[in-house]
């Protein structure tokens, strides 16, 4: 899933970007609040991880503007100041979670996964569609107990479809959820990943169907 990381400490931003990428997220990274505000006006993310002490535009203002535009993506705040007053202010402005620095990377990853699940109305970390099972903690897809071998991009596409919970996703919307700003491919690449996934799921009790005018839908076969 595609997330936005906004952190002005360059070494920390690089470390977090590497860790989140290794955890399976597609990460766009910004280093000041003005850049973040601009990109949030045009891009769709599953989650924004937002530092508060940003140059040009602080995290409070970025969050305030985001919610004023009625954008509902979850926001996880990072800050060196863990006072109750700051936590209350952040939550009142529309933040969904709050993580004071320093923090453990595994906790950041776990909170990110939980916020994304909840934004889709899913509380259980294990999702199912027919015989297909997805553990969002280990990030492993299984069919009848056997792990499904997927490339990173195939995994991302299937994860989006699974999280949608029986709702169709258009090609362009699906691409926006998995592709970073620096990605050189186009949304047409989605068709390739869908074709490969269909071959791997063929005859195994779950299928990706195309609904004309609506997009792709994952359902039990």
């Amino acid at each position: 899933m595609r997330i936005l990381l906004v952190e002005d400490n360059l070494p920390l931003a690089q470390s977090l970007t590497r860790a989140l990428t290794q955890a399976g997220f597609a990460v766009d990274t910004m280093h000041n609040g003005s850049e973040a505000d601009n990109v949030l006006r045009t891009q769709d993310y599953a989650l924004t991880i937002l530092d508060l002490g940003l140059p040009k535009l602080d995290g409070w203002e970025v969050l305030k503007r985001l919610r004023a535009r009625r954008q509902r993506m979850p926001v996880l705040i990072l800050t060196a100041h863990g006072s109750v007053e700051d936590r209350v202010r952040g939550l009142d402005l529309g933040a969904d979670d709050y993580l004071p620095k320093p923090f453990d990377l595994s906790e950041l990853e776990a909170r990110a996964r939980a916020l994304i699940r909840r934004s889709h109305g899913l509380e259980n970390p294990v999702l199912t569609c027919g015989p297909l099972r997805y553990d969002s903690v280990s990030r492993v897809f299984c069919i009848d107990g056997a792990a499904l071998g997927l490339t990173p991009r195939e995994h991302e596409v299937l994860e989006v479809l699974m999280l949608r919970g029986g709702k169709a996703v258009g090609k362009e919307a699906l691409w926006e959820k998995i592709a970073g700003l620096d990605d050189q491919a186009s949304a047409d690449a989605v068709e390739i990943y869908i074709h490969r996934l269909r071959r791997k799921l063929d005859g195994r009790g779950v299928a990706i169907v195309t609904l004309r005018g609506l997009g792709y839908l994952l359902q039990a076969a």
Side-chain angles (χ1 to χ4, degrees):
M1 300 293 285
R2 186 181 180 211
I3 65 176
L4 176 66
L5 170 66
V6 192
E7 171 59 63
D8 67 316
N9 182 312
L10 295 184
L12 177 58
Q14 291 171 352
S15 176
L16 292 178
T17 299
R18 284 195 301 269
L20 290 166
T21 300
Q22 290 171 359
F25 296 102
V27 186
D28 289 336
T29 306
M30 301 293 162
H31 303 296
N32 67 66
S34 180
E35 288 180 344
D37 183 56
N38 287 335
V39 77
L40 284 168
R41 291 175 184 273
T42 61
Q43 301 296 312
D44 180 32
Y45 293 98
L47 170 71
T48 294
I49 300 176
L50 179 66
D51 184 44
L52 291 179
L54 299 170
K56 297 189 178 180
L57 200 67
D58 66 29
W60 301 116
E61 186 63 23
V62 173
L63 177 60
K64 182 178 179 181
R65 293 184 183 188
L66 179 74
R67 296 310 188 212
R69 293 191 296 268
R70 299 184 182 276
Q71 290 177 266
R72 300 175 62 183
M73 73 183 69
V75 175
L76 170 60
I77 287 180
L78 303 180
T79 181
H81 306 289
S83 69
V84 173
E85 291 79 7
D86 278 350
R87 291 199 298 272
V88 169
R89 182 183 179 189
L91 294 171
D92 282 345
L93 284 174
D96 297 274
D97 202 355
Y98 202 103
L99 191 58
K101 301 175 182 177
F103 52 82
D104 188 86
L105 282 173
S106 61
E107 181 178 6
L108 174 63
E109 293 168 13
R111 288 181 182 234
R113 290 191 297 266
L115 286 172
I116 292 171
R117 284 199 309 272
R118 288 203 292 270
S119 71
H120 288 80
L122 305 169
E123 294 294 335
N124 192 331
V126 178
L127 311 178
T128 60
C129 180
L132 180 65
R133 182 178 184 272
Y134 179 55
D135 187 327
S136 64
V137 176
S138 64
R139 303 195 74 246
V140 173
F141 281 98
C142 293
I143 292 183
D144 297 327
L148 191 61
L150 302 170
T151 66
R153 269 287 155 83
E154 290 167 359
H155 188 287
E156 291 169 358
V157 170
L158 191 56
E159 182 180 41
V160 171
L161 294 175
M162 182 69 96
L163 284 170
R164 288 289 290 177
K167 297 178 182 177
V169 187
K171 182 173 70 175
E172 296 287 344
L174 204 162
W175 180 246
E176 287 182 359
K177 292 182 182 299
I178 67 172
L181 290 174
D182 296 329
D183 205 301
Q184 298 301 309
S186 71
D188 290 338
V190 168
E191 297 177 9
I192 298 173
Y193 305 132
I194 292 292
H195 175 71
R196 292 174 180 171
L197 284 168
R198 281 173 169 159
R199 291 178 61 184
K200 293 181 178 182
L201 297 173
D202 186 40
R204 307 186 71 177
V206 63
I208 300 172
V209 299
T210 301
L211 301 180
R212 185 168 303 213
L214 295 175
Y216 303 107
L217 172 69
L218 183 70
Q219 66 179 22

